[in-house]
Amino acid sequence: MNFQHRLKERRKMHRKIMPSELNYDFSSVLAAVNAAEAGPSMSDIDAAPVLDEWWPAFDPHRTPFLIGRVNNHPVLGSKSIRTSRLLALNKHAGWARTFNRWYRLGAPASDLPIPMPGLNPINSVETLGALLADYIKRVRELEAAPRRNT
C-alpha cells in the first residue's frame, strides 16, 4: 500500500471523529472508550449525575448523544442538557457513558420529542447499538493504525 493510499484511508477514519472531539488528545478518547467498554464501578455510579426524561438522538454527523434533564451535574448543576457523544448505554442497569462522564439514568422521556432541525431521535435499539459500535470500531482502528514518529 503506497503512502497516498494510506493517507487517504487514515483521513477517512478521522472523519468519523467529530471536530468537537479534536480538542481532546487521542489518549482522552481512548480512556473514555476503555471506560465505556469496561462499564462503571460503584463509585462511578455513586458520583454520576442523574439524567431524567432522557432520550437518545443523533446529529447530522450521526453523532449519538442523550437529551434530558440533569440533576447534580458537577459543572451544569440541574437543567436540560444535550450530553457529549454517547459511547455506551445500559438501560437495564441504569447507566450511560458519554465522552465526558458517566450518568445514572432516571426515567426516560414518556413523550416523543418535538422535531428540531439537525436533531434526529433514535427510536431503535438496533440503530443506537450500530452507531455506538461503529464509533468504537473507528477508535480501535485509529489506535491500531501505524503512527509516524514525530
Side-chain angles (χ1 to χ4, degrees), residues 42-119:
M42 287 307 293
S43 63
D44 291 329
I45 293 299
D46 290 342
V50 176
L51 192 63
D52 284 310
E53 300 175 33
W54 60 271
W55 47 276
F58 64 90
D59 66 16
H61 300 288
R62 298 189 55 82
T63 302
F65 53 88
L66 295 174
I67 292 184
R69 175 113 182 121
V70 71
N71 294 300
N72 300 318
H73 191 284
V75 176
L76 303 173
S78 297
K79 64 189 232 178
S80 294
I81 64 163
R82 170 192 161 161
T83 68
S84 58
R85 176 187 279 277
L86 181 63
L87 299 175
L89 184 140
N90 186 326
K91 185 176 177 180
H92 300 294
W95 59 262
R97 173 65 195 202
T98 67
F99 189 77
N100 292 325
R101 72 185 66 258
W102 294 101
Y103 287 91
R104 283 184 284 158
L105 296 176
S110 56
D111 296 327
L112 289 176
I114 298 169
M116 292 181 255
L119 188 117

